[in-house]
Amino acid sequence: MNRVALVAAVLAVGAAQAFYLPGLAPVNYCLKGVMDENKCQSSVPLYVNRLNSEESIIPYEYAHFDFCQATEKPDTIVENLGQVVFGERIQPSPYSIEFMKNQNCVKVCSKSYKTSDKEDKKKLNDLKRAMNLNYYHHWIVDNMPVTWCYQVDGGNVFCATGHPVGCFVDAGYRRKDACVMDARYKERNTYYLFNHVDLNITYHSGDNENWGNAFSGAGGRILSVRVTLRSIKHNQGGGKEACESQEVMGIPSDFKEDVTVTYTYSVMFSKSNTDIRWSSRWDYILDSMPHTNIQWFSILNSLVIVLFLSGMVAMIMLRTLHKDIARYNQIDAGEDAHEEYGWKLVHGDVFRPPRRGMLLSVLVGSGTQVFIMTLITLFFACLGFLSPANRGALMTCAMVLYVCLGFPAGYVAARLYKSFGGEKWKTNVLLTSMLCPGVVFGLFFIMNLMLWYKGSSAAIPFTTLLALLSLWFLVSVPLTFVGSFFGYRKRCLENPVRTNQIPRQIPEQSMYTRPLPGIIMGGVLPFGCIFIQLFFILNSIWSSQTYYMFGFLFLVFLILVVTCSETTVLLCYFHLCAEDYHWWWRSFLTSGCTAFYLFIYCIHYFFSKLSIHGVVSTMLYFGYTLIMVFLFFVLTGTIGFIACFWFVRKIYSVVKVD
């Protein structure tokens, strides 16, 4: 079995790489003189995105800070729904680049800040705050992030998908990461603004791609764009010699003198000497992530242990159940006095409708919707259709699927509620379509108000908010009503045994078979399946790292489903053997308790891995965490409930009951 698990894990990793699809068609670039003869373009547009920081969850648009702005606005950049929800704001930049044209020390603009002007003080304070909180630029060229590469511990090279605005040296000579790179940044209580960038653009020659002789040597496709940052106090004379100054652009924290900042850039094109093809150009970014260069053996070992343990649990359950069923069915009719013992003893109460059956059916219906959405989204992500190159595609796919899966949510909730003997089907369908989406939207709207107040780019525009509400009320709600209509019209599920009119008294339970200890223990094993991948997912959300290991994630999700199912079934069997027939809610909460451990881990991650400052940023972190934990609770709870529901119906259908 260990070999089978190992092969499955390796195949999952291979799927994440072999089926990688860039998501967009390549763009051919060429010299300005030949672009009419070949379908290519000579201009290489550079776009700017939002600025964000690991020390503050509040991102801002590029225009929020007093940087150089584009004078001519090209075609409108269309952003998909996922990009808008994630807070991406792609805009044209003032940097002008032509393919294979090297440029040296090109001036973009100059900004002057006078001590007597309050508006200038505010603009400069915004820049200082951005440097103090380590805000990062995010630039895009040819749909590739402009990367900032530097050496980390051990001599490895880390390429970040962004570069800092500047750095700050405080009174204790403590310097930010960017300031450590250059010994000239040493004056205390001083801000060093990176006002000059050197762009190194690597391209793949056309003759290596078989584009034709006319295009050979005159064009190519861009492979990477790397930036080198410098803080320069430019000479007043300007010109090429202006960027050769070794004096840094230091801004004192007290701001007692007028400040003038000149922004410049240089561009150098270099032909790639390797065999890297355009379709693999993201590899150098993904391979250099500091925490994605993981110990593969450790993850594979964890997956093998979980699979082995799941197999052992399944084997024990099958053997024990086989013996129980054989004993029950082989007892003679004359031994009725000794016939019923163990889990068979509660056959007359095991299908008694639970308390608050309305809420349980609603949660299970919503959990079914989340489960199908997650399964389909991860499947497409494994095939590469939701790759990092296709920005916002993952979130767009998830939201569209969730909206369109209102039908199964209404159907499952209605059928389950009808099996409980419920008659308020209108209330059931309203709660199914409103409760879980309402909780998520309510938390999201509160956090959106905070972002609006802060002027953040992550604040959803009013028109987009209306679009989300339209998708909810005009698509998801009607589909939920249709699913509920068909589900309630179906014949009620017939239980394999009859339910007694008088409830049986439950004997006193031991500490291990009581509800709370069983629920708490039930979430440990499923959480053990996901906590490794959870670390990388949280890094991608809060540390601006690119997540691409969808093969592993899909495999871990399948293991999570199996583990939640088997753990819930095992504990349900023990409780039935202890003559406790209240399994409905317990099965949902047992696997749903995994979300509790997820919340504890997110708290640990907040205090141990992040250095977030500010009350609003802290509230935003825990607000988004609550949304994630709530959806995960509904998802895992539904998995455990459906598995236990199938298990209980199965075992009582094969045993003879008078």
Side-chain angles (χ1 to χ4, degrees):
M1 183 171 180
N2 291 345
R3 293 181 179 178
V4 174
L6 181 62
V7 171
V10 172
L11 288 177
V13 179
Q17 298 177 355
F19 292 98
Y20 172 78
L21 299 175
L24 296 174
V27 178
N28 300 330
Y29 295 94
C30 56
L31 294 175
K32 195 170 185 179
V34 298
M35 68 177 184
D36 295 332
E37 302 174 4
N38 301 275
K39 295 181 179 180
C40 57
Q41 62 183 61
S42 62
S43 176
V44 182
L46 189 152
Y47 297 103
V48 293
N49 204 342
R50 64 176 184 177
L51 283 79
N52 63 354
S53 169
E54 295 183 15
E55 301 180 17
S56 175
I57 299 181
I58 306 173
Y60 292 100
E61 293 185 13
Y62 181 84
H64 178 83
F65 300 98
D66 193 31
F67 298 125
C68 301
Q69 304 296 325
T71 55
E72 297 180 1
K73 293 187 177 181
D75 296 336
T76 304
I77 302 166
V78 180
E79 296 176 340
N80 56 44
L81 185 60
Q83 288 177 290
V84 176
V85 172
F86 268 132
E88 293 194 14
R89 300 293 183 267
I90 302 177
Q91 301 171 351
S93 74
Y95 299 90
S96 178
I97 304 174
E98 290 189 13
F99 187 71
M100 295 181 66
K101 180 181 179 182
N102 295 334
Q103 303 178 70
N104 185 30
C105 198
V106 179
K107 180 180 177 181
V108 185
C109 70
S110 292
K111 299 287 183 178
S112 298
Y113 305 96
K114 298 181 179 180
T115 57
S116 58
D117 194 328
K118 293 183 178 180
E119 187 66 24
D120 287 348
K121 285 184 178 180
K122 182 181 179 301
K123 293 178 180 179
L124 192 59
N125 286 334
D126 286 341
L127 285 175
K128 290 180 179 179
R129 182 173 177 272
M131 290 183 277
N132 196 28
L133 292 178
N134 205 23
Y135 269 82
Y136 270 52
H137 287 281
H138 291 279
W139 293 356
I140 302 170
V141 173
D142 192 38
N143 201 42
M144 279 284 292
V146 177
T147 56
W148 175 52
C149 301
Y150 57 91
Q151 283 192 345
V152 294
D153 295 338
N156 296 323
V157 176
F158 167 54
C159 292
T161 56
H163 56 277
V165 175
C167 59
F168 173 61
V169 181
D170 61 12
Y173 292 101
R174 289 172 298 186
R175 302 186 290 176
K176 295 288 185 181
D177 293 341
C179 279
V180 177
M181 305 300 169
D182 197 326
R184 294 179 300 169
Y185 309 139
K186 60 183 179 179
E187 295 293 332
R188 63 180 181 177
N189 290 328
T190 303
Y191 295 89
Y192 295 97
L193 181 66
F194 297 139
N195 57 334
H196 177 84
V197 293
D198 294 307
L199 297 172
N200 187 355
I201 302 177
T202 305
Y203 65 94
H204 202 298
S205 179
D207 51 2
N208 293 331
E209 295 283 357
N210 298 321
W211 294 338
N213 295 328
F215 199 66
S216 176
R221 293 173 178 172
I222 293 177
L223 295 181
S224 67
V225 183
R226 308 192 188 196
V227 63
T228 303
L229 307 174
R230 283 193 284 167
S231 177
I232 301 176
K233 189 172 184 180
H234 293 84
N235 298 327
Q236 296 298 325
K240 294 184 177 180
E241 70 277 2
C243 295
E244 298 175 358
S245 173
Q246 296 299 315
E247 189 175 358
V248 295
M249 185 66 218
I251 304 175
S253 59
D254 51 12
F255 188 42
K256 294 181 179 179
E257 298 180 357
D258 295 347
V259 176
T260 300
V261 180
T262 301
Y263 292 91
T264 56
Y265 70 99
S266 300
V267 181
M268 184 178 69
F269 283 86
S270 58
K271 182 178 178 181
S272 175
N273 296 323
T274 62
D275 294 331
I276 299 177
R277 301 186 66 84
W278 184 88
S279 58
S280 303
R281 60 179 183 164
W282 280 77
D283 290 352
Y284 85 97
I285 302 176
L286 303 179
D287 293 340
S288 67
M289 289 292 175
H291 295 299
T292 53
N293 189 13
I294 57 177
Q295 300 177 358
W296 297 102
F297 178 77
S298 176
I299 288 188
L300 291 175
N301 188 47
S302 299
L303 297 178
V304 169
I305 291 175
V306 171
L307 287 175
F308 179 74
L309 183 58
S310 301
M312 292 296 294
V313 170
M315 215 162 37
I316 292 172
M317 289 294 300
L318 289 175
R319 291 187 61 183
T320 306
L321 274 175
H322 180 73
K323 290 181 180 180
D324 287 346
I325 295 172
R327 283 200 307 268
Y328 291 151
N329 291 335
Q330 289 176 1
I331 294 178
D332 296 333
E335 300 181 9
D336 290 343
H338 304 284
E339 179 180 355
E340 295 185 354
Y341 60 91
W343 53 268
K344 186 181 179 183
L345 195 62
V346 295
H347 66 83
D349 298 276
V350 71
F351 290 105
R352 189 177 303 281
R355 297 177 181 177
R356 299 179 180 86
M358 172 80 76
L359 179 60
L360 180 60
S361 63
V362 168
L363 291 178
V364 172
S366 299
T368 305
Q369 187 177 9
V370 177
F371 173 79
I372 300 175
M373 175 202 73
T374 306
L375 185 66
I376 297 177
T377 301
L378 290 180
F379 176 75
F380 280 110
C382 283
L383 297 180
F385 294 109
L386 308 179
S387 69
N390 199 354
R391 290 179 175 82
L394 186 68
M395 177 60 75
T396 303
C397 177
M399 289 191 296
V400 171
L401 283 174
Y402 183 83
V403 169
C404 296
L405 289 172
F407 182 87
Y411 181 85
V412 171
R415 291 218 66 185
L416 186 60
Y417 179 66
K418 187 177 181 180
S419 68
F420 293 157
E423 298 179 353
K424 300 179 180 179
W425 67 272
K426 295 180 180 178
T427 305
N428 179 264
V429 67
L430 281 174
L431 287 176
T432 304
S433 60
M434 297 294 179
L435 181 61
C436 289
V439 171
V440 174
F441 184 82
L443 290 171
F444 183 79
F445 183 74
I446 292 173
M447 291 182 292
N448 202 51
L449 290 178
M450 298 180 187
L451 294 169
W452 268 339
Y453 175 75
K454 287 290 185 178
S456 172
S457 66
I460 305 299
F462 183 71
T463 54
T464 306
L465 206 60
L466 290 179
L468 292 176
L469 289 174
S470 300
L471 288 175
W472 181 11
F473 287 102
L474 300 182
V475 180
S476 180
V477 172
L479 287 176
T480 307
F481 270 81
V482 173
S484 180
F485 174 77
F486 283 100
Y488 209 79
R489 286 191 60 185
K490 294 282 289 186
R491 189 175 61 178
C492 184
L493 294 172
E494 295 183 3
N495 297 324
V497 292
R498 290 178 297 177
T499 302
N500 297 333
Q501 293 183 354
I502 302 176
R504 179 184 177 85
Q505 185 177 0
I506 299 175
E508 185 177 356
Q509 300 293 308
S510 64
M511 185 183 71
Y512 299 103
T513 56
R514 290 177 183 174
L516 188 58
I519 291 173
I520 293 176
M521 290 187 297
V524 175
L525 186 59
F527 178 75
C529 304
I530 65 169
F531 81 96
I532 296 178
Q533 286 294 320
L534 183 62
F535 175 77
F536 300 114
I537 293 174
L538 292 179
N539 274 347
S540 66
I541 296 175
W542 305 116
S543 298
S544 300
Q545 296 184 15
T546 304
Y547 188 88
Y548 68 101
M549 298 181 294
F550 294 109
F552 261 129
L553 184 59
F554 187 70
L555 180 61
V556 170
F557 175 73
L558 295 180
I559 295 175
L560 174 67
V561 173
V562 174
T563 310
C564 284
S565 303
E566 292 184 343
T567 303
T568 307
V569 166
L570 181 63
L571 292 175
C572 179
Y573 172 75
F574 290 154
H575 293 141
L576 291 177
C577 289
E579 303 178 21
D580 186 354
Y581 52 85
H582 294 310
W583 63 273
W584 297 97
W585 272 106
R586 188 175 298 174
S587 62
F588 188 91
L589 296 176
T590 296
S591 55
C593 186
T594 310
F596 170 75
Y597 294 100
L598 171 62
F599 183 67
I600 297 298
Y601 185 83
C602 289
I603 295 176
H604 165 74
Y605 183 85
F606 177 81
F607 287 105
S608 63
K609 302 297 181 183
L610 299 178
S611 55
I612 293 178
H613 302 284
V615 177
V616 175
S617 293
T618 303
M619 293 176 65
L620 289 172
Y621 174 85
F622 284 102
Y624 287 118
T625 298
L626 284 177
I627 293 178
M628 182 171 60
V629 169
F630 175 73
L631 292 176
F632 193 74
F633 167 73
V634 174
L635 169 65
T636 53
T638 301
I639 294 171
F641 176 85
I642 293 177
C644 193
F645 184 74
W646 173 85
F647 169 76
V648 173
R649 291 181 60 86
K650 189 68 175 177
I651 63 174
Y652 282 98
S653 64
V654 296
V655 69
K656 297 179 181 179
V657 177
D658 293 334

